[in-house]
Amino acid sequence: MDEQPYGSWPSPVDAALAASLDGRPEYLGTIGSDVWWTEPRPAEGGRRTLVRRPAAGGPAVSVLPAPWNVRSAFTEYGGMPWAGAERPGGGPLVVFAHHGDQRLYAYEPDAPGGTGGSAPRPLTPLSPVGGGLRWADPVVRGDEVWCVLEEFTGPAPTDVRRVLAAVPLDGSAAGDRSRVRELTDDRYRFATGPRLSPDGRYAAWLVWDHPRMPWDGTEVRLAEVRADGTLAAARTLVGGPEEAVAQVEWMPDGTLLAVSDRSGWWNPYRVDPHTGEAVNLCPRQEEFGGPLWKPGLRWLAPLPDGLVAVLHGRGSPVLGVLDPRTGDLVDAAGPWTAWQPALAVHGSLVYGVAAGPRSAYEVVELDTGSGHARVAGAAGAGPVDPAYYPEPQTRTFSGPGGREIHAHVYPPRHPARRAPAGELPPYAVWAHGGPTEHVSPVLDLHIAYFTSRGIGVVEVNYGGSTGYGRAYRERLRGQWGVVDVEDCAAVAGALAAEGTADPERIAIRGGSAGGWTAAASLAATSLYACAAIRYPVLDLRGFAEETHDLESRYVEGLAGPPQTLAARCRERSPVARADRITAPFLLLQGLDDAVCPPAQAERLRAALRGRGVPYAYVAFEGEGHGFRRADTMVRALEAELSLYAQVFGFDRPDVPPLHLETT
C-alpha cells in the first residue's frame, strides 16, 4: 500500500460520478400491479421523470421524456406530484404536476397514439408567471382528481391560501378556473391532500396553522362525502397545538390510522372515526413517523389482510410489518439500514425506498408472505469498487451539560493508499438542513468523494434533529444558533481529542439550515479552519421577512417571538456577527432560491467588506434551494475540495483552483 498525504489520494469517485447519481427515488405508488415512482435526472437539467416497473417483469422504464418534469412546487418543497388509477377500459391513467408550468396533466401511457401512449393533456389553468396555482397530494376519485391546492393571491410569498379541491378529468378546467371545485374553505393555513375511506363515504386530511410547524402540532380533520361530491362540515378527530400527527391513513375495515407523537414519540394509533378514541398499536420509545415537510409522505401503509407496513426506529428507520391486533412487529431482512417515507402496497407486496452503507437509495420490494426482499428498481450500488466507500460508525458523543449528541463518523478509506506515519486526517463536520431533520448512515457518493481522497466526514444529528423523540427534537426550541453550534463543536472537539481528527484541519459544512450552523460556527468559535456554506440562512430577521410561507414563522419556534427577534439576530446571526469571522470559507448560492434567497448571501458579503476575510462566492443561475443540475454539483464539489486543499495544505491539481478573494 502506497503512502500519500491525507487529502491527496487519487479516487475513481469523481465529482461527475457523484453528481450523476445524486438524488433518490421518491413518491412510490401502484396502479394495478405495476409500481411507479419519480426519479432524478441530474444530467437532464435536474428534472424528475416518472418511472414504471411492470408487474410482469422486465426493467423499470421512464414513461415521460424530457422536458416533462414530474415535480410540484407546492410550498416550494413540493409534495406527492402524481396519482394514478386503472381506466375502465384497461390501462393506467396518471395525473401529474409538471414543474415547468405547475399545471396538472392527465396521461394514458398505454392508450393509442404512438410510442408512449397519448400525449399528456392539461387539466388545470395556466398560472401567471411567479405565482398562480400549485397542486399536490392528488387522488383520483371517479371523474375528478382530488388534491390540495395552493393559490397565490398577491405579490408577497405569504399572500397565499390553501384548500382541498376537485379537478375534473375531462380537461374542462384547463381554461376555466371556475370549473375547479373547492371542497373546503381556507380557514387553515396548511393542509395535506385527502385520504378517502374504502367505501368512499369519508375524507380525512391533516391541517395546521401559523406559527406552528407540522412537527409542533397538527389536526386530523374528518368530513362526510355527500352524494353530490361535496364535503359536509368537517370536525377534528385527534391532534392539536401540542400533538403532531404526521400521517393519517384508512384501514381496510374503515378505521383510521394516525401517526401521533402524543406520547413523546411518533407511534401508530387506531382512531375510531366516530368518537375520535385513539389506541396506541405499538407503544415504543421509537419513531414511526417524522417531520411532514411535504404532503404525501408515508411512514405506514395498510395491507389488505389487516397488517400494516411501518417504518420505525431510533435515528434511522427500518421497515417492519405490524399486526395491529397483537402489536407484534417483524422487521424485513436485508442490507438496508434506512428507509424513506415513501411506502406503497399492492396485495401482499410492500414497496419502499431504502439504502445501506454499500448501496444508495433504491426501490425495494418486500413480499410479506415469504419475507423475501429484493431490489425492484433504481439500484443504488454504483459502478465503483466498494473498497472506496466509507464505513460509517454510528456514535453518541457527550455535549454541554452531559447531553447526548448522535453522529455518524466516516473515516478516510482507500484500498491502495495510506497516510505517512504520524499524520492525522483532516475532517469536515457536516450539519444537516432542516433543522428539524436527520441524516442516516448510508452510502452517499458526495461523502465518498471526500473520504476516498483522505478527508474524513462526520455527520451530526445535533439537538433539534428528528428520530430521537420529541424531547430531543425540542432541544433547539429558542436555541437555534446555540445548541446546533455547540453540538457540532462538541463532536469535532471529541474527534480531535481522541486522535481521530487533526485539530488544526477541521472544516464545517452545511446547506440551508446547516449553512446557518456552519456560518454561525465560524462566528462563535475558532475551532474550524474553514467552512463550506451552501444556500444558507444568514440573517434571522431577513429570513423571516423574505422566505416562503411555510417557514415564514419557523424562526419563532427556533429563536423566539417577533418582539425578541431583533436581539436574537444581533446575538446569533452570522451577518450581525461578521466581525467575528476570520476563517476562509466557500459560499454557494442558487439565484432562484425562494427559501433562502440570494439576498441572505449578499448581506454577509456586504458585512465582510473591508475585513480581509478570504472567501469565494459562487452563484448558480437557474438553481433553487438545493442543487439539482449535474454541472452545478460538479462545480460545487470541486470548489469545496480546492478550498480544503488550500487551507489544509495538500495538492489537488485535478480540480480547478478556487480563487479566494479578500475584500
Side-chain angles (χ1 to χ4, degrees), residues 50-123:
L50 188 64
V51 173
R52 176 188 188 182
R53 202 212 70 176
V61 295
S62 171
V63 298
L64 286 168
W68 294 109
N69 188 353
V70 184
R71 182 162 69 94
S72 171
F74 187 85
T75 70
E76 303 301 336
Y77 288 138
M80 182 68 174
W82 71 274
E86 291 186 288
R87 294 187 301 123
L93 167 69
V94 178
V95 175
F96 68 93
H98 173 51
H99 191 264
D101 57 17
Q102 285 305 300
R103 301 174 87 178
L104 286 181
Y105 286 81
Y107 178 48
E108 299 177 49
D110 295 348
T115 303
S118 60
R121 52 185 176 83
L123 299 180

Side-chain angles (χ1 to χ4, degrees), residues 144-398:
E144 294 179 319
V145 58
W146 287 20
C147 57
V148 58
L149 162 64
E150 177 177 74
E151 183 171 26
F152 286 86
T153 59
T158 53
D159 294 336
V160 63
R161 59 191 295 268
R162 297 177 185 90
V163 297
L164 299 191
V167 178
L169 289 171
D170 63 8
S172 58
D176 184 358
R177 167 67 173 82
S178 67
R179 295 285 293 170
V180 175
R181 293 193 304 117
E182 296 193 4
L183 300 169
T184 62
D185 58 29
D186 57 2
R187 73 179 68 180
Y188 291 98
R189 190 71 168 198
F190 302 99
T192 66
R195 302 291 177 265
L196 299 175
S197 62
D199 60 9
R201 293 178 55 202
Y202 295 94
W205 65 99
L206 300 179
V207 297
W208 69 97
D209 260 324
H210 281 318
R212 284 177 284 157
M213 296 298 286
W215 42 86
D216 296 326
T218 58
E219 300 173 28
V220 176
R221 300 285 283 175
L222 181 76
E224 183 179 356
V225 181
R226 299 189 182 105
D228 63 356
T230 60
L231 294 183
R235 56 193 174 92
T236 295
L237 273 185
V238 292
E242 302 298 325
E243 178 183 357
V245 180
Q247 183 186 348
V248 62
E249 210 73 49
W250 291 95
M251 290 284 285
D253 64 1
T255 59
L256 272 172
L257 290 179
V259 181
S260 166
D261 73 344
R262 58 171 56 185
S263 70
W265 297 82
W266 272 305
N267 279 188
Y269 289 78
R270 179 191 290 113
V271 181
D272 187 308
H274 304 290
T275 66
E277 179 185 4
V279 177
N280 194 335
L281 299 176
C282 194
R284 295 189 180 192
Q285 290 191 351
E286 295 183 1
E287 302 282 47
F288 289 73
L292 187 65
W293 279 103
K294 301 178 284 190
L297 303 183
R298 297 187 81 192
W299 292 268
L300 58 78
L303 291 147
D305 60 5
L307 300 177
V308 183
V310 297
L311 302 182
H312 72 101
R314 283 194 179 211
S316 301
V318 296
L319 175 65
V321 178
L322 172 68
D323 187 335
R325 296 157 293 197
T326 64
D328 293 339
L329 178 58
V330 179
D331 288 342
W336 306 283
T337 55
W339 294 69
Q340 289 296 308
L343 295 181
V345 300
H346 174 73
S348 63
L349 302 178
V350 177
Y351 297 95
V353 177
R358 290 290 178 270
S359 61
Y361 283 102
E362 54 198 358
V363 177
V364 177
E365 175 191 88
L366 169 68
D367 186 330
T368 59
S370 66
H372 177 68
R374 67 187 182 99
V375 176
V384 174
D385 182 347
Y388 289 94
Y389 296 160
E391 294 183 336
Q393 304 167 1
T394 297
R395 298 181 55 182
T396 301
F397 294 85
S398 180

Side-chain angles (χ1 to χ4, degrees), residues 551-572:
E551 296 183 83
S552 61
R553 298 184 68 180
Y554 195 8
V555 294
E556 293 182 28
L558 293 172
Q563 55 267 33
T564 64
L565 191 57
R568 292 291 177 268
C569 190
R570 290 192 298 270
E571 295 166 0
R572 303 178 192 174

Side-chain angles (χ1 to χ4, degrees), residues 626-644:
F627 301 147
R628 295 177 177 272
R629 298 177 177 177
D631 55 348
T632 299
M633 289 183 271
V634 168
R635 176 75 176 106
L637 278 172
E638 292 183 341
E640 186 174 351
L641 181 59
S642 180
L643 171 71
Y644 296 159

Side-chain angles (χ1 to χ4, degrees), residues 389-458:
Y389 296 160
E391 294 183 336
Q393 304 167 1
T394 297
R395 298 181 55 182
T396 301
F397 294 85
S398 180
R403 66 178 182 243
E404 288 188 343
I405 307 167
H406 303 285
H408 309 301
V409 181
Y410 299 82
R413 186 168 185 255
H414 196 290
R417 293 292 188 277
R418 65 184 177 191
E423 183 184 0
L424 292 175
Y427 259 78
V429 176
W430 285 24
H432 63 69
T436 311
E437 194 48 271
H438 82 284
V439 286
S440 297
V442 299
L443 177 62
D444 180 343
L445 291 187
H446 290 250
I447 292 177
Y449 178 78
F450 294 104
T451 57
S452 63
R453 286 167 169 76
I455 302 168
V457 170
V458 56

